[in-house]
Amino acid sequence: MTNKLPINSSKFKQYREKYEQELFNRVIPFWGKYSPDYKNGGYFNCLDQDGKIYDQTKHVWLQGRQVWIFSKFYRDVEQKQEWFKIARLGANFLKQYGIRDDRRVYFSLSPEGNPLYLQRKIFSECFYIMGLAEFSRASDQPKYLKEAKLELEKVWEWAYDWTKVRRPNYSGQMSTQSLAVPMILLNVIAEVAAEDTNPYQREIEDCIRNLQLHIHPDTQIVYETVTSEGDFIDSSEGRLLNPGHAIEAGWFLQHWAQTLQRPSLSETAANIIRWSFERGWDTDYGGIYYFLDAKGYSPTPLEWFMKLWWVHCEALYAHLLNFYVTGEIEDWHAFKQVDRYIFQHFCDPKYGEWFGYLNRQGDVTHRFKGGPYKGCFHVPRALWLCWRLLQKLEKF
Amino acid sequence: MTNKLPINSSKFKQYREKYEQELFNRVIPFWGKYSPDYKNGGYFNCLDQDGKIYDQTKHVWLQGRQVWIFSKFYRDVEQKQEWFKIARLGANFLKQYGIRDDRRVYFSLSPEGNPLYLQRKIFSECFYIMGLAEFSRASDQPKYLKEAKLELEKVWEWAYDWTKVRRPNYSGQMSTQSLAVPMILLNVIAEVAAEDTNPYQREIEDCIRNLQLHIHPDTQIVYETVTSEGDFIDSSEGRLLNPGHAIEAGWFLQHWAQTLQRPSLSETAANIIRWSFERGWDTDYGGIYYFLDAKGYSPTPLEWFMKLWWVHCEALYAHLLNFYVTGEIEDWHAFKQVDRYIFQHFCDPKYGEWFGYLNRQGDVTHRFKGGPYKGCFHVPRALWLCWRLLQKLEKF
């Protein structure tokens, strides 16, 4: 971190208080009130604007993530019994119903915990691990961490030998790699290892190396999909950019750069956040696009032009972290720009939590607060991370 | 068909000439010029606004559909050698590379025909059948029809015992059925059987019965997904409506009602087109929504509010067909309403073919003319169907 800051401490206080209020008065109470299923365990995650359950499916990504949030907050913010109970409700539901004998974790469950669907991907497993690891520490029960570590071994195996898990490979396919895999693994390892990263040194280096294959400094682009050697692929898939994802990868990498004390990695991390924000910002209507094509063709996903809450959550924290690390005023301005967009578009002062999906112009397109891919995670995580960092900045 | 028409014949002529020009001067030439791959066979289907190839993947749905269009036009419109050659280019590519030993048909192929991906669905198979059946008639080569009939037998088996093809079933899942299956099968059977529907009587009745389970006259709703008994399911999936799909089902059913001479089925078919149009039309900005929720919740697909070309293609022909069958002036007005929206928003006078995707306000969001799900099919099929029907109306 730099040793001079171009911003007055009262500014940090102002943002810190704003986030504190949003997080503890309007975001966490929404999930605490509407999501727990005290009858069957776990959480309802398909919640309408006002918290009403519009679908009873329990999506496992969101179960694991909510366990992580409530466990983390119990440990880090305040030892509220309500928070602990909510964390336990999800952790036990997950452990009982989420995982099957071959250690694969379901994507979705019925309200009673019966399996509905299994993806040919490793992400359900990753959020299962994150939830249980954090709950283990909150509950001081080592068995949950043991379970998380056991599952991480399986995920590691599957992530690099996907023949057992993912879609089969066909002869016309190129050998590619996806940004999501090293990214999520770096995040999961950080959660499982906590202070003790020693047992995962090889895995950490491997993930950092693989993640860096997606970063092309010559064009200042972070590609979602590259060849296994890191080369650009000139197809719709190879040209597809997901600026929010690259920004999230940036702050994951920055955390590791700080942990491992690597200035050059820290610079890379700061840069990919700036490049992706610069490229992803919609100069006409504001907000960050969901997808772009590196050569300016129309991205093929229908929703490419939409503005998603999680993208802006990642950008909010990433820019504040950049500012904390570099002290550059441009990073602070980028943080303020994202903050302004968020509080003008995503917040819902009436019922709390944030809307998830806007059209290009910034109007809400989906009124629900929770859906198959949106739950109690990105909003509280970003606000909590910013809140903690702003506290540090205030005291600087 | 009714025996009085409330519209002057010159009106029909005006539309007939407009569609004739659009179809033969601006739509078919686009595909004829830019899509054929004379080197490897088959068609490039990812074409930018001006016809430039932006991705070389060959999507099998679109290969089969384009074979169907060029074969059909060669037979029905004019025996142009260019059209025949294009049809043959796709039919042979499909037969050589599209299907594997177990009779499953790939979803996508490399430009050289190497497999890229196989869906756990039966739709690639259906378009393979349609293409080959029509090419058999265009080329007067029975072996292609034999191949299509053989494949239809497999698809029939898979459609009702999906354990071999589709995603596995899990214990929490309800037994459901999807509108797409009886719909596409009715279409495929019509294409394979042509005049000789006798061998498929059991299958036709089965599909009509299954399709009718999705139609709920009490609420005037056509559900995409119902229980195997046809009951409404109160979940995001069960409430999901796809008005364009229901409208397409309407005209498929109307064709069968005419073939089988069933007035009550004809009335049902006309009704589901009207109900779905009424419900699906965006009264604020015009156009038909892609998805809706039957109870007014936000549909979970991110693109629900978008206006898609194929939805409007189906509606254009369906309303004209309704008018042809019923003689009701309201059906004619609905036809004109869709025509107006299409020619104001989807057409591209500069390069031909239509844009595929608009935002809710009706602005083009994706500039390409061909993509993974848009090719040489809905636009020429709808224009050709309308053109033929307008000719009949003119002479009425």
Side-chain angles (χ1 to χ4, degrees):
Chain A
M1 192 189 166
T2 182
N3 44 26
K4 55 178 168 54
L5 283 178
I7 306 293
N8 189 292
S9 175
S10 69
K11 267 281 159 206
F12 301 135
K13 181 165 180 273
Q14 189 190 313
Y15 281 100
R16 194 256 300 155
E17 285 175 352
K18 179 164 94 166
Y19 291 0
E20 201 169 280
Q21 213 172 37
E22 184 69 16
L23 177 57
F24 299 117
N25 297 349
R26 280 190 287 271
V27 172
I28 286 296
F30 181 91
W31 298 104
K33 188 168 178 189
Y34 301 113
S35 73
D37 180 359
Y38 291 110
K39 185 178 152 220
N40 291 302
Y43 318 117
F44 295 109
N45 57 273
C46 289
L47 303 178
D48 208 357
Q49 176 176 7
D50 60 359
K52 188 182 169 197
I53 300 158
Y54 65 88
D55 187 289
Q56 300 210 323
T57 307
K58 291 174 176 167
H59 295 86
V60 170
W61 292 18
L62 307 176
Q63 307 290 313
R65 286 163 159 184
Q66 186 163 346
V67 173
W68 184 86
I69 287 285
F70 278 89
S71 302
K72 183 65 96 184
F73 279 35
Y74 178 78
R75 281 219 303 149
D76 182 79
V77 180
E78 192 188 335
Q79 297 212 330
K80 280 197 189 182
Q81 277 313 302
E82 187 207 347
W83 289 354
F84 182 78
K85 277 186 198 159
I86 292 173
R88 191 177 55 197
L89 192 69
N92 290 337
F93 184 79
L94 262 188
K95 204 157 167 291
Q96 186 167 0
Y97 301 111
I99 192 161
R100 62 181 198 186
D101 290 346
D102 64 357
R103 310 289 303 167
R104 294 276 351 249
V105 173
Y106 292 110
F107 176 75
S108 52
L109 302 167
S110 76
E112 301 79 18
N114 294 315
L116 291 177
Y117 180 47
L118 184 85
Q119 279 191 316
R120 296 181 290 185
K121 293 176 181 169
I122 56 162
F123 305 115
S124 297
E125 283 80 357
C126 290
F127 297 116
Y128 176 90
I129 295 168
M130 277 177 64
L132 293 195
E134 193 59 30
F135 181 69
S136 176
R137 297 190 175 101
S139 66
D140 209 10
Q141 292 185 82
K143 68 174 179 181
Y144 290 94
L145 186 60
K146 205 178 143 193
E147 168 75 4
K149 284 182 174 173
L150 198 69
E151 186 62 7
L152 177 53
E153 279 175 41
K154 286 306 263 185
V155 166
W156 186 261
E157 185 189 309
W158 290 329
Y160 290 93
D161 177 15
W162 277 32
T163 45
K164 297 191 191 91
V165 178
R166 72 172 172 184
R167 293 171 167 186
N169 263 318
Y170 296 103
S171 68
Q173 278 183 305
M174 209 179 271
S175 174
T176 60
Q177 70 158 36
S178 160
L179 179 65
V181 173
M183 246 182 89
I184 189 81
L185 289 174
L186 274 180
N187 191 211
V188 168
I189 291 169
E191 292 301 324
V192 168
E195 309 302 309
D196 183 21
T197 56
N198 266 335
Y200 296 102
Q201 272 184 8
R202 184 179 62 87
E203 286 83 356
I204 293 162
E205 296 308 330
D206 196 76
C207 286
I208 292 176
R209 195 172 44 246
N210 277 323
L211 201 156
Q212 281 180 307
L213 290 178
H214 293 265
I215 305 170
H216 288 215
D218 49 330
T219 48
Q220 307 197 333
I221 291 179
V222 182
Y223 293 102
E224 280 293 299
T225 309
V226 289
T227 69
S228 351
E229 290 76 40
D231 293 327
F232 166 65
I233 305 164
D234 197 358
S235 69
S236 292
E237 188 189 17
R239 291 191 306 265
L240 193 71
L241 311 181
N242 181 332
H245 211 215
I247 289 169
E248 188 180 11
W251 73 256
F252 284 5
L253 214 53
Q254 186 64 265
H255 281 198
W256 280 108
Q258 301 298 316
T259 304
L260 304 169
Q261 296 182 300
R262 294 192 191 160
S264 145
L265 190 64
S266 169
E267 207 183 308
T268 300
N271 278 334
I272 67 176
I273 291 166
R274 291 165 178 160
W275 299 337
S276 304
F277 179 64
E278 170 81 18
R279 185 179 293 268
W281 186 261
D282 178 353
T283 49
D284 291 328
Y285 296 101
I288 301 163
Y289 291 115
Y290 190 11
F291 293 110
L292 289 172
D293 179 288
K295 287 193 171 175
Y297 293 102
S298 292
T300 51
L302 299 199
E303 64 274 25
W304 74 269
F305 56 84
M306 291 179 69
K307 312 290 164 69
L308 270 64
W309 91 105
W310 69 261
V311 171
H312 296 79
C313 291
E314 303 309 338
L316 189 75
Y317 175 61
H319 289 305
L320 189 65
L321 182 64
N322 261 4
F323 175 69
Y324 178 79
V325 171
T326 68
E328 296 285 345
I329 190 74
E330 286 76 15
D331 294 321
W332 176 254
H333 288 320
F335 161 74
K336 285 202 302 180
Q337 187 177 333
V338 176
D339 168 271
R340 208 157 42 236
Y341 187 84
I342 285 176
F343 281 82
Q344 275 172 10
H345 295 90
F346 287 108
C347 292
D348 179 11
K350 192 161 181 200
Y351 295 104
E353 194 27 56
W354 296 359
F355 296 108
Y357 305 92
L358 316 177
N359 65 12
R360 188 173 164 197
Q361 289 73 22
D363 310 311
V364 173
T365 56
H366 294 66
R367 73 174 193 225
F368 55 71
K369 299 292 172 46
Y373 295 94
K374 181 178 188 292
C376 176
F377 188 58
H378 289 96
V379 179
R381 181 174 75 168
L383 289 172
W384 168 73
L385 285 167
C386 289
W387 175 66
R388 282 298 188 211
L389 205 53
L390 287 160
Q391 287 177 326
K392 285 194 202 174
L393 286 162
E394 262 179 279
K395 288 173 194 150
F396 189 73
Chain B
M1 192 190 166
T2 181
N3 45 21
K4 55 175 167 55
L5 284 178
I7 304 292
N8 188 292
S9 175
S10 69
K11 268 281 158 205
F12 301 135
K13 180 164 180 271
Q14 188 189 314
Y15 281 99
R16 193 257 300 155
E17 286 175 349
K18 178 165 94 164
Y19 291 1
E20 202 169 278
Q21 211 171 40
E22 183 69 17
L23 177 57
F24 299 118
N25 297 348
R26 281 190 287 271
V27 171
I28 285 298
F30 181 90
W31 299 104
K33 187 167 178 189
Y34 301 114
S35 74
D37 179 1
Y38 290 111
K39 188 180 149 216
N40 292 302
Y43 318 116
F44 294 110
N45 58 273
C46 289
L47 303 178
D48 208 355
Q49 176 176 5
D50 59 359
K52 189 184 169 197
I53 301 158
Y54 65 88
D55 188 289
Q56 300 209 323
T57 307
K58 291 174 177 167
H59 295 86
V60 170
W61 291 19
L62 307 177
Q63 307 290 313
R65 286 163 160 186
Q66 185 162 346
V67 172
W68 185 86
I69 287 284
F70 277 89
S71 302
K72 183 66 94 185
F73 280 35
Y74 177 78
R75 281 219 304 149
D76 182 78
V77 181
E78 191 188 335
Q79 297 213 331
K80 280 197 188 184
Q81 277 313 302
E82 188 208 343
W83 290 353
F84 182 78
K85 277 185 197 160
I86 292 173
R88 190 178 55 195
L89 193 68
N92 290 336
F93 184 80
L94 264 186
K95 202 157 169 286
Q96 183 166 2
Y97 301 112
I99 192 161
R100 61 181 198 186
D101 291 345
D102 64 357
R103 311 289 304 169
R104 294 275 354 249
V105 173
Y106 292 109
F107 176 75
S108 51
L109 302 168
S110 75
E112 300 79 20
N114 295 314
L116 291 176
Y117 180 47
L118 183 87
Q119 278 191 316
R120 294 180 292 185
K121 294 176 180 169
I122 56 161
F123 304 115
S124 297
E125 283 79 357
C126 290
F127 297 116
Y128 175 89
I129 295 167
M130 277 177 64
L132 294 194
E134 193 59 29
F135 180 70
S136 175
R137 297 191 175 100
S139 65
D140 209 11
Q141 294 185 80
K143 68 174 179 180
Y144 290 94
L145 186 61
K146 205 178 144 195
E147 167 75 4
K149 284 183 174 172
L150 197 71
E151 185 62 8
L152 177 53
E153 278 176 40
K154 284 307 262 185
V155 165
W156 186 261
E157 184 188 311
W158 290 329
Y160 290 92
D161 178 13
W162 277 32
T163 46
K164 296 190 192 91
V165 178
R166 71 171 172 184
R167 293 170 168 188
N169 263 318
Y170 296 104
S171 68
Q173 277 183 304
M174 207 179 272
S175 174
T176 60
Q177 70 159 36
S178 161
L179 178 64
V181 174
M183 244 181 93
I184 189 79
L185 289 174
L186 273 180
N187 190 210
V188 168
I189 291 168
E191 292 300 326
V192 168
E195 309 304 309
D196 183 23
T197 58
N198 266 336
Y200 295 104
Q201 273 185 7
R202 184 178 62 88
E203 287 82 357
I204 293 162
E205 295 308 331
D206 197 76
C207 287
I208 292 175
R209 193 170 49 244
N210 277 323
L211 200 156
Q212 282 181 306
L213 291 178
H214 293 265
I215 305 169
H216 287 216
D218 50 330
T219 48
Q220 306 196 335
I221 291 178
V222 182
Y223 294 102
E224 281 293 298
T225 310
V226 290
T227 68
S228 356
E229 290 76 42
D231 293 328
F232 167 66
I233 305 164
D234 197 357
S235 68
S236 293
E237 188 190 15
R239 291 190 306 265
L240 194 70
L241 311 180
N242 181 332
H245 211 216
I247 288 169
E248 189 181 8
W251 74 255
F252 284 5
L253 215 52
Q254 187 64 265
H255 281 198
W256 279 107
Q258 300 299 317
T259 303
L260 304 168
Q261 297 182 298
R262 294 194 191 158
S264 146
L265 191 62
S266 169
E267 207 183 310
T268 300
N271 278 335
I272 67 176
I273 291 166
R274 292 164 178 161
W275 300 336
S276 304
F277 179 65
E278 170 80 19
R279 187 178 291 268
W281 186 261
D282 178 353
T283 49
D284 291 328
Y285 296 101
I288 302 162
Y289 290 115
Y290 190 11
F291 293 111
L292 289 171
D293 179 288
K295 287 193 170 174
Y297 293 103
S298 292
T300 52
L302 299 200
E303 64 275 23
W304 74 269
F305 55 85
M306 290 178 70
K307 312 292 165 64
L308 271 64
W309 89 104
W310 69 260
V311 171
H312 296 79
C313 290
E314 302 310 336
L316 188 75
Y317 175 61
H319 289 304
L320 189 65
L321 182 64
N322 262 3
F323 175 68
Y324 177 80
V325 172
T326 68
E328 295 287 344
I329 190 75
E330 288 75 15
D331 294 321
W332 176 253
H333 287 321
F335 161 74
K336 285 202 301 177
Q337 187 177 334
V338 176
D339 168 271
R340 209 158 38 238
Y341 188 84
I342 285 177
F343 281 82
Q344 276 171 9
H345 295 89
F346 287 109
C347 292
D348 179 11
K350 192 161 180 198
Y351 295 104
E353 195 22 61
W354 296 359
F355 295 109
Y357 306 93
L358 315 177
N359 64 13
R360 189 173 163 196
Q361 288 73 22
D363 310 310
V364 173
T365 56
H366 295 65
R367 73 171 192 224
F368 55 70
K369 300 290 173 47
Y373 295 94
K374 180 177 188 292
C376 175
F377 188 59
H378 289 96
V379 179
R381 181 174 74 168
L383 288 172
W384 167 73
L385 285 166
C386 289
W387 175 65
R388 282 294 188 215
L389 205 53
L390 287 160
Q391 286 176 326
K392 287 195 202 175
L393 286 163
E394 263 180 276
K395 288 172 196 151
F396 191 70

